[in-house]
Amino acid sequence: MSRSVVVEAPGTHRIVPHEPTPPGAGEALVRVHAVGICGSDREVYQGNRPEGYVRYPLTPGHEWSGTVEAVGPGAPESLVGRKVAGEGFRNCQVCDRCHAGETTLCTAGYEETGFTQPGAMAATLTLPARLLHVLPDDADLTAAAPLEPAACVAAAALKADAQPGERVAVVGAGTLGMFAVQFLAANSPAELLTVDTRPERAVLARKFGATDFRTPDRELPGDFDVVIETAGSADSALTAASLLRRGGRLVLTGLPASGAAGLDPTGLVVRQLEVRTVFGAPPAAWAHAVRVFGAGLLDPLPLVTHELPLDQFPHAIELVGSGDPKVGKVLLLP
């Protein structure tokens, strides 16, 4: 019997029978293969997500992969049978930010799969077909499940605009950081440093292309052209900025606690640092991530450490928040 996870309210969930939602005009019905869990899903379950960014009761799941089973009127029939992943932001398509391709900045308000709209912790997911990104026919759907966080990092990589031969660094060696290492490695840097508090992450970072790995308590150089920060703390933002040469480029993707002390504006101005930020992934970043994945330059599979059935949702949430260095990307298999 098909099932889905429903979080009724913070700390309360049920595994319930699942009935597919027939696709309406412009929609597609996807058979979910795997769905990833990240810290924001833990926030949903614990009730820590900011007001307006979650709506209960809810089926979570915003990073996923699957196969199109059916499409509604107006959606391309050629999608049926194709392997896909999909964007989460339900943008309006008509505001000025959407027309500029910045769909994560849609002015019509926040709506996202797995947070305010039904997510992929279910046997099937119905969503607008325009949000789908078609994967190669031979794509490994387990490897493709974390393409949503990869797309967020792709947005950071595009904003960083690292050129071949530049000296680049990544602060944070979690899932986002390891994706950042792979994207930057694909641009043939002269040097690629990874900084993280967990020395055991060095082996995987080097596997993905890092030329050096250091913990923040060691002496760090300060002459990098580009730094992408993924750890999500005020300290990591400060560390990232300290790595840059004068006039260097910093991209922040992590979300520290609200009100955390952060970067010194005087230092940013005097050193003329270029600072950019990323929240979510617009279509161009998704297309970039899927292209790099399809070319074999992005390998999410080594990041996956746990594959669990849907009814182990509470255990999966515990794993994500355990702090165990052996826990990487956790997937549920509907």
Side-chain angles (χ1 to χ4, degrees):
M1 179 177 62
S2 296
R3 300 171 299 168
S4 65
V5 174
V6 175
V7 178
E8 300 282 1
T12 303
H13 84 283
R14 294 185 297 138
I15 305 296
V16 302
H18 173 76
E19 287 292 332
T21 300
E27 292 185 328
L29 172 67
V30 177
R31 175 67 56 178
V32 177
H33 172 80
V35 53
I37 297 180
C38 78
S40 54
D41 297 302
R42 184 175 170 83
E43 289 176 353
V44 167
Y45 187 59
Q46 293 183 329
N48 299 328
R49 193 149 172 89
E51 185 177 356
Y53 287 84
V54 64
R55 187 180 303 133
Y56 301 101
L58 172 72
T59 294
H62 62 286
E63 48 183 81
W64 54 270
S65 63
T67 303
V68 177
E69 285 201 340
V71 296
E77 289 285 345
S78 59
L79 286 173
V80 176
R82 299 304 302 271
K83 296 177 179 179
V84 294
E87 300 176 35
F89 283 84
R90 306 293 185 92
N91 56 295
C92 74
Q93 303 184 81
V94 296
C95 72
D96 64 335
R97 292 301 86 206
C98 285
H99 279 304
E102 297 176 335
T103 54
T104 59
L105 299 177
C106 177
T107 61
Y110 173 78
E111 294 287 342
E112 186 176 2
T113 300
F115 297 108
T116 63
Q117 298 289 331
M121 291 186 192
T124 67
L125 173 66
T126 300
L127 75 168
R130 62 184 171 80
L131 299 179
L132 297 179
H133 287 263
V134 176
L135 306 174
D137 290 339
D138 61 352
D140 182 332
L141 284 176
T142 301
L147 277 177
E148 188 273 342
C152 295
V153 177
L158 291 172
K159 288 191 174 186
D161 192 27
Q163 300 299 306
E166 287 193 311
R167 302 180 72 243
V168 300
V170 175
V171 176
T175 297
L176 295 181
M178 291 302 187
F179 280 137
V181 169
Q182 293 184 67
F183 279 114
L184 291 174
N187 282 342
S188 302
E191 183 177 347
L192 174 46
L193 168 69
T194 303
V195 178
D196 194 89
T197 58
R198 300 161 292 180
E200 62 272 10
R201 302 295 285 176
V203 173
L204 192 55
R206 292 183 184 278
K207 170 184 172 64
F208 287 141
T211 59
D212 191 9
F213 182 98
R214 302 192 191 190
T215 53
D217 56 351
R218 292 179 57 190
E219 183 178 352
L220 299 175
D223 54 356
F224 284 85
D225 300 290
V226 171
V227 178
I228 295 179
E229 181 278 328
T230 66
S233 71
D235 286 345
S236 63
L238 290 169
T239 297
S242 73
L243 290 168
L244 285 166
R245 62 165 172 81
R246 291 171 64 85
R249 307 188 298 282
L250 171 62
V251 183
L252 303 174
T253 70
L255 288 174
S258 180
L263 300 174
D264 176 12
T266 301
L268 299 179
V269 173
V270 170
R271 296 173 62 206
Q272 298 184 55
L273 299 184
E274 181 179 331
V275 181
R276 296 190 172 190
T277 61
V278 168
F279 177 67
W286 264 97
H288 184 60
V290 170
R291 281 195 302 269
V292 175
F293 174 72
L297 298 174
L298 182 72
D299 185 9
L301 203 54
L303 301 175
V304 177
T305 58
H306 295 76
E307 300 176 41
L308 304 172
L310 207 61
D311 58 9
Q312 290 196 34
F313 168 72
H315 178 49
I317 291 292
E318 288 178 6
L319 285 171
V320 169
S322 67
D324 185 342
K326 296 181 181 179
V327 176
K329 175 54 64 177
V330 177
L331 302 182
L332 292 178
L333 305 177

